[in-house]
């Protein structure tokens, strides 16, 4: 194994001088990365290696014959069976090749047609130690549950339509600022049902575009047998979730999003796999090994799932081909990698406080195999696709996760700022408004690794799951059922809830990161929580939906939060403050509950105090001139009280204030915020 110093490691050390003491370990990891790259070159090179879906699984040839190729090192016999050959295990037997591979060819019919009908059910009979198991190919592209009321076992469908959907739209340019709408197609209807890809494309995409989002992060697309897993117990990595439609339907969705200029990210799960045996990857060749570790490392006790063996060249082939598949076949523009923290530590982050400092990141608990896989994936994706965006779900703060591989990092573009929603929920659950610690809030919002971009968010799907509640529901709870009508009294709880919902989102997008994420429905203060149909709730869809009907009803106050969210997005679209460097916070006053910061040419002034308003409140700004109000949370269109005149022009004075060169004086009512923008002279 080589011990090669990354060619640009000095750039990493400039960003984080503390890493000087860990150069040897960074170089060792990089050396392992180079070793695996060499192994891939010996297998035909990265281009062929990542295109393996063209050979593995079942592929129709130009003459309509079907070629099959599988890696099943522990198997003793493989046979392709299905409706097409009357499930005869001796009709189409695979031939054993070198290195655990098996191949088969199914000739075309005499008339030249494909011998396996489109959408017919097929399986692979895998024999080992005298036992035969009926399995789905790891490379299956479409699997369905024939009768969900009678069985939960999925079947593989041979997907070969006579007319395939042809992607027509060009990819949109990579956004300078990501304004991400995290969405789950299945729950995207207000009706109690599983929604479809086409309905989402036709009915939900226009909402997302109108709100000012330029990116969608699509969840639960990779096939998962257990709906309530939210897509994170993947059973079939190359298959689209058939609950929501066919592969052609998903292509329609992505294509329509591209026609609107929306960048598409896929939530990809390469951190673990479902333990399902009959319709999943587990025990595919009859053993506990194969794509997974065949020991304790191969099992995630908390998630009850299987863990990949990233040292296996065929595991790397499978996973690297998988990310390429979603880009090439379905047009996705990037990925959010799930469970990165779980991947990169042998402990999977369970019961870890992550308070051990830098030795924790580079000690024995760090999992080199997983870190190197992420380096391989990001290096390939970014070199092959210049438009690519990758996001890491990583909470421990591993240094270099979002630095280029050439520097010794893992190559992600962004990491999720996962501590922020936890902070907000903790504050709302345990702290009265008068006791909010403004300095602590600002510190947590700004506390992130320098020169590593973060996706800020106040809440995501994690905070909405049953057992928790949306921020809107934490703020307003049962009063949302009775007092969200504009015809009903504006109760103190609803008034507070509307105000703080707006302020929490504004201060988080302003200070918390270099991109923004919103979970579907939270833009208008979706009530309650998420709970998928299960035995415990009588298989109910009541909480597995998004009630867009609430925001469409003009007499309900949800429209105010929706309007606010849209204007926040449009302000960012116009000014680009997310990608214009860090904010400078000049004022954070615990007594007044006032925060002032400048970012991207804008001045954010926030008063989080429950009852104190301030007239002629002095704030510092660095640029002299005239300022106007670009956004005002107290506007009537946002459910506010119209206490601030939006036509006011603010003039700077030359006496500095709060460490800034100039002073402004503003009126800032309680529980409100204004964003000021300099007016051209």
């Amino acid at each position: 194994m080589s011990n090669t110093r990354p060619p640009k490691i000095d750039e990493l050390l400039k960003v984080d001088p503390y890493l000087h003491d860990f150069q040897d370990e960074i170089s060792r990891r990089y050396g392992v990365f180079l070793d695996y790259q060499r192994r891939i070159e010996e297998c035909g090179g990265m281009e062929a290696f990542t295109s393996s879906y063209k050979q593995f699984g079942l592929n129709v040839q130009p003459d309509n014959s079907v070629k099959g190729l599988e890696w099943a090192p522990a198997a003793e016999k493989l046979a392709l069976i299905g409706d097409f050959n009357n499930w005869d295990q001796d009709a189409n037997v695979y031939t054993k090749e070198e290195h655990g591979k098996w191949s088969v060819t199914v000739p075309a019919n005499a008339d030249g047609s494909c011998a396996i009908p489109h959408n017919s059910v097929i399986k692979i009979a895998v024999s080992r130690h005298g036992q035969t198991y009926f399995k789905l190919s790891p490379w299956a592209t479409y699997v369905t549950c024939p009768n969900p009321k009678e069985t939960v076992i999925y079947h593989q469908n041979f997907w070969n339509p006579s007319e395939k959907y042809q992607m027509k739209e060009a990819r949109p340019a990579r956004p300078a600022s990501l304004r991400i709408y995290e969405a789950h197609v299945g729950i995207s209807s207000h009706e109690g049902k599983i929604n479809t890809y086409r309905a989402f494309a036709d009915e939900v995409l226009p909402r997302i575009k109108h709100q000012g989002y330029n990116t969608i992060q699509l969840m639960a697309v990779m096939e998962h047998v257990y709906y309530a897993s939210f897509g994170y117990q993947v059973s079939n990595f190359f298959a689209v979730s058939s609950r929501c439609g066919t592969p052609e339907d998903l292509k329609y969705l992505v294509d329509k999003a591209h026609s609107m200029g929306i960048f598409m990210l896929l939530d990809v799960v390469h951190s673990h796999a479902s333990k399902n045996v009959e319709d999943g990857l587990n025990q595919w060749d009859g053993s506990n090994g194969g794509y997974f570790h065949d020991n304790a490392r191969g099992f995630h006790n908390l998630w009850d799932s299987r863990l990949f063996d990233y040292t296996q060249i065929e595991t790397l082939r499978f996973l690297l081909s998988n990310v390429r598949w979603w880009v090439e076949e379905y047009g996705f523009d990037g990925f959010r990698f799930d469970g990165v923290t779980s991947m990169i530590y042998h402990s999977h982050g369970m019961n870890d406080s992550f308070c051990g400092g830098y030795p924790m990141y580079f000690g024995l608990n760090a999992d080199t195999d997983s870190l190197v896989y992420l380096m391989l994936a990001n290096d390939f994706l970014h070199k092959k696709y210049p438009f690519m965006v990758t996001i890491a779900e990583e909470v421990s703060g591993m240094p270099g996760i979002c630095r280029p591989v050439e520097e010794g990092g893992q190559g992600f573009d962004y990491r999720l700022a996962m501590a922020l929603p936890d902070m907000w929920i903790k504050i709302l659950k345990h702290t009265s408004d008068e006791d909010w610690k403004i300095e602590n809030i600002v510190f947590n919002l700004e506390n992130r690794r320098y020169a590593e971009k973060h996706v800020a968010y106040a809440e995501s799907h994690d905070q909405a799951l049953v057992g928790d509640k949306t921020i809107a529901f934490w703020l307003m709870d049962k009063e949302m059922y009775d007092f969200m009508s504009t015809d009903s009294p504006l109760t103190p709880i609803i008034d507070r809830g509307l105000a703080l919902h707006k302020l929490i989102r504004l201060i988080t997008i302003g200070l918390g990161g270099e991109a923004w994420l919103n979970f579907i429905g939270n833009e208008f203060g979706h009530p309650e929580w998420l709970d998928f149909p299960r035995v415990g709730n009588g298989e109910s869809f009541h909480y597995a939906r998004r009630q867009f009907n609430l925001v469409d009803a003009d007499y309900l106050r949800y429209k105010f939060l929706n309007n606010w969210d849209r204007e926040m997005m449009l302000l960012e679209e116009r000014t680009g403050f997310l990608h214009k460097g860090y904010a400078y916070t000049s004022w954070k006053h615990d007594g007044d509950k006032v925060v002032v910061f400048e970012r991207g040419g804008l001045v954010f002034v926030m008063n989080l105090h429950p009852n104190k308003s301030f007239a002629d409140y002095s704030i510092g700004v660095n640029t002299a001139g005239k300022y106007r109000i670009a956004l005002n949370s107290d506007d009537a269109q946002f459910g506010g009280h119209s206490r601030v005149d939006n036509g006011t022009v603010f003039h700077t004075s030359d006496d500095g204030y709060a460490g800034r060169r100039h002073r402004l004086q503003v009126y800032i009512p309680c529980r409100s915020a204004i964003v000021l923008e300099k007016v051209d002279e």
Side-chain angles (χ1 to χ4, degrees):
M1 183 183 301
S2 58
N3 186 23
T4 305
R5 194 172 190 266
K8 296 183 179 180
I9 192 173
D10 289 339
E11 296 299 316
L12 180 65
L13 301 181
K14 288 178 186 175
V15 168
D16 190 345
Y18 290 104
L19 293 176
H20 278 278
D21 292 339
F22 302 95
Q23 293 182 65
D24 288 346
E25 176 59 16
I26 294 169
S27 296
R28 187 194 66 82
R29 290 178 184 173
Y30 187 75
V32 177
F33 161 76
L34 293 179
D35 285 341
Y36 277 100
Q37 280 198 326
R38 281 190 284 270
R39 289 180 63 187
I40 291 170
E41 286 303 311
E42 292 168 0
C43 293
M46 188 66 79
E47 181 67 20
F49 193 77
T50 57
S51 301
S52 292
Y53 54 81
K54 296 179 181 179
Q55 288 79 42
F56 282 77
L58 296 172
N59 286 280
V60 179
Q61 304 304 303
D63 65 354
N64 271 338
S65 65
V66 177
K67 286 190 174 182
L69 181 64
E70 300 292 348
W71 179 65
E76 296 165 0
K77 177 186 175 182
L78 264 65
L80 183 63
I81 56 176
D83 297 330
F84 79 101
N85 65 4
N86 296 316
W87 300 88
D88 184 350
Q89 296 182 38
D90 296 316
N92 299 97
V93 178
Y94 284 73
T95 300
K96 190 172 185 178
E97 310 284 356
E98 292 183 326
H99 310 301
K101 296 183 176 67
W102 299 77
S103 64
V104 69
T105 299
V106 181
N109 291 323
D111 62 2
S113 62
C114 185
I116 308 178
H118 164 62
N119 212 24
S120 62
V121 177
I122 54 174
K123 290 196 176 184
I124 300 176
V126 180
S127 299
R128 182 174 188 254
H129 293 170
Q131 298 290 319
T132 298
Y133 311 91
F134 300 107
K135 304 284 291 182
L136 313 188
S137 169
W139 305 77
T141 60
Y142 190 54
V143 303
T144 62
C145 188
N147 191 340
K149 293 183 179 179
E150 295 181 3
T151 179
V152 294
I153 305 300
Y154 275 57
H155 292 167
Q156 180 174 347
N157 296 66
F158 185 72
W159 193 254
N160 184 32
S162 56
E163 292 187 16
K164 292 189 175 183
Y165 182 88
Q166 299 298 317
M167 309 286 277
K168 298 180 287 292
E169 303 293 338
R171 295 180 189 273
R174 171 177 168 160
S177 296
L178 293 180
R179 299 185 300 278
I180 304 169
Y181 196 90
E182 183 185 36
H184 183 294
V185 170
I187 67 168
S188 62
S189 170
H190 72 274
E191 300 176 54
K193 66 179 184 179
I194 297 175
N195 210 16
T196 67
Y197 297 122
R198 286 187 176 265
F200 183 94
D202 295 339
E203 299 165 12
V204 184
L205 280 181
R207 293 180 181 273
I208 298 170
K209 177 66 176 177
H210 181 260
Q211 282 299 112
Y213 289 89
N214 58 18
T215 305
I216 292 175
Q217 182 177 299
L218 208 57
M219 308 174 63
V221 170
M222 301 168 79
E223 187 60 88
H224 50 292
V225 170
Y226 183 43
Y227 188 43
S229 76
F230 228 137
Y232 293 122
Q233 290 280 346
V234 175
S235 49
N236 311 97
F237 286 76
F238 287 82
V240 306
S241 179
S242 60
R243 291 180 186 86
C244 300
T246 69
E248 312 313 305
D249 296 335
L250 178 60
K251 292 174 187 176
Y252 173 82
L253 188 166
V254 175
D255 206 31
K256 189 158 188 175
H258 284 169
S259 75
M260 298 179 177
I262 296 174
F263 204 71
M264 292 295 292
L265 304 178
L266 176 69
D267 205 345
V268 68
V269 185
H270 283 183
S271 50
H272 66 132
S274 166
K275 276 181 64 175
N276 285 18
V277 172
E278 292 193 59
D279 47 18
L281 197 56
N282 190 20
Q283 298 180 2
W284 143 249
D285 64 356
S287 75
N288 273 329
Y291 293 102
F292 307 113
H293 288 287
D294 191 7
N295 52 35
R297 284 189 73 186
F299 297 87
H300 197 302
N301 295 329
L302 183 63
W303 292 349
D304 195 32
S305 56
R306 294 304 312 274
L307 297 174
F308 289 106
D309 181 357
Y310 303 106
T311 67
Q312 286 277 6
I313 196 69
E314 294 303 328
T315 301
L316 296 180
R317 183 195 302 277
F318 182 78
L319 295 176
L320 292 175
S321 295
N322 188 237
V323 288
R324 180 167 184 169
W325 164 260
W326 292 107
V327 177
E328 297 283 354
E329 185 70 10
Y330 292 100
F332 282 97
D333 307 300
F335 300 97
R336 179 262 201 189
F337 278 72
D338 176 68
V340 169
T341 302
S342 176
M343 291 175 70
I344 63 178
Y345 297 102
H346 290 294
S347 65
H348 309 303
M350 295 187 291
N351 301 315
D352 288 343
S353 64
F354 299 120
C355 296
Y358 282 70
M360 169 189 70
Y361 301 125
F362 298 100
L364 295 177
N365 191 32
D367 188 334
T368 297
D369 301 337
S370 301
L371 288 161
V372 168
Y373 166 66
L374 295 173
M375 294 167 75
L376 288 166
N378 277 309
D379 184 71
F380 160 68
L381 287 170
H382 288 94
K383 286 179 178 175
K384 178 68 178 176
Y385 307 110
F387 54 80
M388 179 60 51
V389 169
T390 60
I391 301 171
E393 188 203 28
E394 208 292 291
V395 72
S396 77
M398 170 69 76
I401 280 283
C402 296
R403 297 300 300 177
V405 172
E406 291 80 4
E407 295 180 8
Q410 276 64 57
F412 285 97
D413 297 289
Y414 298 84
R415 62 154 38 101
L416 291 175
M418 297 177 69
L420 302 187
D422 292 342
M423 174 191 73
W424 287 121
I425 295 299
K426 184 177 179 180
I427 289 173
L428 293 176
K429 288 172 69 173
H430 301 296
T431 309
S432 63
D433 297 8
E434 294 82 0
D435 295 329
W436 283 22
K437 300 298 182 184
I438 298 301
E439 290 201 13
N440 288 345
I441 291 172
V442 171
F443 173 81
N444 286 318
L445 288 168
E446 295 182 329
N447 182 27
R448 55 190 183 273
R449 290 208 171 277
Y450 175 69
E452 294 195 33
K453 292 187 288 189
H454 288 64
V455 179
Y457 59 109
E459 53 184 332
S460 71
H461 67 273
D462 286 325
Q463 286 69 46
L465 290 172
V466 64
D468 209 333
K469 295 183 286 191
T470 64
I471 284 180
F473 212 55
W474 276 116
L475 288 167
M476 295 176 276
D477 209 74
K478 63 181 184 295
E479 290 214 4
M480 296 185 80
Y481 297 122
D482 299 315
F483 297 103
M484 284 299 276
S485 169
T486 54
D487 296 328
S488 64
L490 180 62
T491 68
I493 288 177
I494 295 296
D495 190 26
R496 169 184 178 265
L498 295 177
L500 289 183
H501 196 274
K502 291 179 288 185
L503 298 190
I504 286 171
R505 293 169 74 84
L506 181 64
I507 194 171
T508 304
I509 191 175
L511 286 179
E514 292 69 44
W516 170 252
L517 180 141
N518 166 74
F519 178 65
I520 180 172
N522 289 347
E523 68 274 15
F524 62 84
H526 202 284
E528 301 172 327
W529 50 81
L530 269 169
D531 190 14
F532 287 86
R534 54 188 173 85
V535 174
N537 65 15
E539 302 295 340
S540 171
F541 282 89
H542 181 74
Y543 296 109
R545 60 196 177 107
R546 297 285 88 181
Q547 299 181 60
F548 288 112
N549 54 304
L550 297 177
V551 75
D552 291 342
D554 193 56
Y555 65 90
L556 295 179
R557 292 186 167 106
Y558 294 97
K559 67 181 180 181
F560 297 140
L561 299 181
N562 200 62
N563 292 343
W564 172 254
D565 179 82
R566 180 170 187 265
E567 291 305 315
M568 279 202 317
M569 295 304 105
L570 295 181
L571 177 65
E572 203 293 320
E573 180 179 52
R574 182 169 61 80
T575 63
F577 65 81
L578 278 173
H579 70 269
K580 290 185 177 177
Y582 293 104
Y584 182 89
T585 304
S586 60
W587 195 255
K588 41 189 174 182
H589 197 287
D590 262 338
D592 294 346
K593 309 296 183 198
V594 173
V595 181
V596 181
F597 58 91
E598 298 158 81
R599 188 174 188 188
L602 301 174
V603 183
F604 294 73
V605 187
M606 314 194 67
N607 180 1
L608 292 152
H609 204 285
N611 50 52
K612 284 187 180 180
S613 299
F614 301 99
D616 297 328
Y617 197 88
S618 289
I619 65 170
V621 297
N622 226 31
T623 304
K626 295 188 294 184
Y627 288 79
R628 66 174 181 84
I629 294 175
L631 191 62
N632 171 16
S633 74
D634 202 47
D635 268 0
Q637 63 172 320
F638 307 135
H641 300 284
S642 301
R643 292 169 291 181
V644 176
D645 180 0
N646 286 330
T648 304
V649 177
F650 302 87
H651 298 264
T652 59
S653 58
D654 290 335
D655 54 326
Y657 189 77
R660 309 306 273 164
R661 293 190 178 96
H662 306 280
R663 179 200 299 257
L664 283 174
Q665 289 187 311
V666 299
Y667 170 47
I668 183 70
C670 61
R671 286 187 182 139
S672 73
I674 56 174
V675 181
L676 304 178
E677 186 175 21
K678 190 174 179 298
V679 179
D680 292 333
E681 299 291 345

